[in-house]
Amino acid sequence: MISKRVQSIKPSPTLATDAKAKALKQQGVDVVNFGTGEPDFDTPKNIKQAAIDSINAGFTKYCPVAGTPEIKNAIINKFKRDNSLDYTAEEIIVSSGAKHSLYNLFQSIIDPDDEVIIPAPYWVSYTDMVILVCGKPVIIQTTDKTNFKITPESVEKVLTSKTKAIIINSPSNPTGVTYSAQELKEIAKVCVKNKIFIISDDIYEKLVYDNFKFTSIAQVAPEARDFTVVINGVSKAYAMTGWRLGYAAGPKNIISAMSKVQSQSTSSASSISIKAAVEALNGTQECVEFMRKEFEKRRDYIVGRLNKIDGITCRKPEGAFYVFPNIKTFLGKSFNGKTINTDIEFTNFLLDRAKIAVVGGSAFGAEGYMRLSYATSIENIQSGMDRLETALK
Ligand SMILES: Cc1ncc(COP(=O)(O)O)c(C=O)c1O
């Protein structure tokens, strides 16, 4: 009864972990939730006020499918200001979240059996979205030993006549790995030579640490402009995950195809969220820096604590709000007569024994790791690390 396409994908495992942790909390269980992929901060006041004003002014109707001129201008200015990138209004589309932009993009460029290169560990939705449009994910496996980074050589190795696109996600979910301008330039050269689409998911752009300078691959590969699409949104930078507002920038013909898909599926993003996003992008950016600094403190703390635990090694990420420690030494060990063989069994053990919710690395295409989101208070992180340490002892 259910289509083969839908049968071939799975529900988002990160959203499932988050739901499980929240359900346990509601039942009164004291769970520390490291599963959530969203800032714990509230949306800044000025942004909320812009939405309230838009409701009061009756700005509550359908908008143009790809976004109003006002939000497109705000996005054009953002690209100019932050990334030195120039786009016209026809090269921008606003969607109901960056996830939605990505889905529209895959619908627009992928034919059956087209291959999309995805570096692993990857964000859980990339592979399933590609499968949903009958494309084929081609994984480049990376490990903590090579800083979870792909190289031009590793891209070249997986290229075939069917390769259609590559996804670059820097800073990355789940590893926090962030590529330098030079590294991106080298990877872009291979893409240009082989004429494959570059999909640059820049959603964590604002969350970089230790004075790391973010670069979008679109900036260092102007020669790839005709087949580069940048994906971004307001969810992570402005604590606006529930507002569902993302956007894409790229060549006019691709954006126009995405707009056609959107016109036949969801229409414009919410008018109220559009007004809120205009304020987010045009208003004061102090909130972004405040949250970034808080995340940096938490990253330093959690990485320090994890590396003090016998058997865990954790690379210090340059960006996003996740850590992705290696837990391989624990696999094959037993507790109460039960052997823990996989990272999923390991994370189940942590939830049962220590009441901490984390996501197993295999959900991100990397067995033997776990992902912890530090988008939670320092008190929660402290308590979670105490529990982890005790359980693993
Ligand atoms: C790498 C990555 N891209 C895109 C998204 C989707 O963001 P949005 O809330 O704008 O749909 C997420 C959210 O977790 C993400 O981690």
Side-chain angles (χ1 to χ4, degrees):
M1 196 194 260
I2 305 298
S3 73
K4 288 199 182 75
R5 264 185 355 272
V6 171
Q7 284 188 52
S8 65
I9 62 163
K10 54 189 182 314
S12 163
T14 46
L15 294 182
T17 303
D18 189 41
K20 202 163 152 186
K22 282 179 180 154
L24 281 170
K25 255 201 163 143
Q26 267 197 340
Q27 289 162 26
V29 183
D30 171 27
V31 178
V32 177
N33 188 1
F34 288 114
T36 312
E38 61 181 347
D40 52 319
F41 302 105
D42 194 6
T43 303
K45 256 199 183 128
N46 60 317
I47 299 174
K48 292 203 283 193
Q49 192 57 50
I52 293 164
D53 292 347
S54 88
I55 295 173
N56 287 334
F59 193 77
T60 52
K61 307 280 195 256
Y62 292 134
C63 293
V65 171
T68 58
E70 190 185 24
I71 182 72
K72 285 193 175 198
N73 268 336
I75 294 166
I76 288 168
N77 289 337
K78 176 258 172 275
F79 276 120
K80 224 185 271 269
R81 179 182 72 218
D82 297 349
N83 314 106
S84 310
L85 287 170
D86 288 314
Y87 289 105
T88 63
E90 291 166 317
E91 293 172 315
I92 304 280
I93 180 170
V94 178
S95 310
S96 304
K99 198 176 209 170
H100 186 210
S101 298
L102 278 164
Y103 187 72
N104 287 336
L105 175 60
F106 291 130
Q107 281 287 11
S108 302
I109 64 169
I110 302 299
D111 278 320
D113 300 325
D114 277 354
E115 296 178 359
V116 179
I117 301 175
I118 303 175
Y122 46 73
W123 178 47
V124 292
S125 294
Y126 294 143
T127 45
D128 286 288
M129 277 201 229
V130 169
I131 293 168
L132 203 48
V133 298
C134 300
K136 188 176 158 207
V138 171
I139 307 299
I140 303 180
Q141 200 69 48
T142 72
T143 69
D144 48 354
K145 290 206 178 63
T146 51
N147 280 329
F148 298 116
K149 283 185 181 178
I150 58 165
T151 60
E153 293 75 30
S154 62
V155 176
E156 261 166 349
K157 262 194 204 149
V158 297
L159 287 172
T160 73
S161 58
K162 293 262 183 199
T163 308
K164 191 68 175 275
I166 183 169
I167 302 177
I168 302 294
N169 175 217
S170 166
S172 143
N173 176 5
T175 61
V177 156
T178 310
Y179 288 81
S180 70
Q182 189 54 34
E183 288 167 329
L184 292 170
K185 206 171 185 161
E186 298 298 318
I187 293 168
K189 265 190 212 160
V190 179
C191 303
V192 171
K193 197 171 119 199
N194 293 282
K195 291 202 163 43
I196 59 173
F197 278 105
I198 301 173
I199 302 171
S200 185
D201 182 348
D202 297 353
I203 193 92
Y204 293 101
E205 150 183 28
K206 296 288 177 189
L207 302 176
V208 286
Y209 313 117
D210 303 325
N211 299 316
F212 190 97
K213 187 165 173 348
F214 168 83
T215 308
S216 172
I217 194 165
Q219 286 170 260
V220 296
E223 68 278 24
R225 198 181 197 282
D226 288 348
F227 38 96
T228 301
V229 178
V230 177
I231 305 286
N232 210 325
V234 294
S235 284
K236 316 287 178 174
Y238 302 95
M240 290 177 71
T241 48
W243 297 77
R244 310 310 303 127
L245 201 295
Y247 53 89
K252 197 173 133 186
N253 59 331
I254 306 292
I255 297 299
S256 157
M258 291 168 69
S259 181
K260 189 159 73 170
V261 173
Q262 189 162 298
S263 78
Q264 294 291 18
S265 51
T266 60
S267 304
S268 70
S270 141
S271 60
I272 297 150
S273 298
I274 285 177
K275 281 287 186 188
V278 168
E279 174 61 22
L281 296 172
N282 287 348
T284 168
Q285 300 297 300
E286 272 170 29
C287 56
V288 180
E289 181 56 9
F290 169 79
M291 290 188 269
R292 193 200 63 77
K293 276 193 185 142
E294 282 302 307
F295 285 133
E296 186 161 15
K297 276 187 231 159
R298 297 171 187 185
R299 177 205 61 161
D300 291 345
Y301 178 77
I302 197 167
V303 171
R305 285 291 304 264
L306 284 166
N307 279 318
K308 278 198 193 114
I309 298 175
D310 243 7
I312 286 188
T313 48
C314 183
R315 180 184 178 276
K316 195 175 198 177
E318 301 85 7
F321 42 61
Y322 309 102
V323 280
F324 203 66
N326 184 320
I327 49 107
K328 287 177 189 167
T329 53
F330 295 99
L331 303 185
K333 298 215 161 140
S334 300
F335 179 73
N336 278 351
K338 209 169 149 205
T339 307
I340 293 169
N341 287 312
T342 63
D343 58 37
I344 301 296
E345 287 170 8
F346 181 77
T347 57
N348 286 339
F349 159 77
L350 291 181
L351 189 57
D352 291 344
R353 181 74 192 170
K355 301 286 177 283
I356 59 178
V358 304
V359 187
S362 51
F364 309 93
E367 172 71 40
Y369 300 86
M370 63 178 175
R371 190 195 78 173
L372 293 88
S373 157
Y374 51 87
T376 184
S377 70
I378 200 88
E379 292 76 25
N380 277 342
I381 299 174
Q382 261 162 0
S383 161
M385 288 301 105
D386 291 345
R387 293 172 188 210
L388 180 69
E389 209 169 67
T390 308
L392 294 183
K393 261 185 199 155

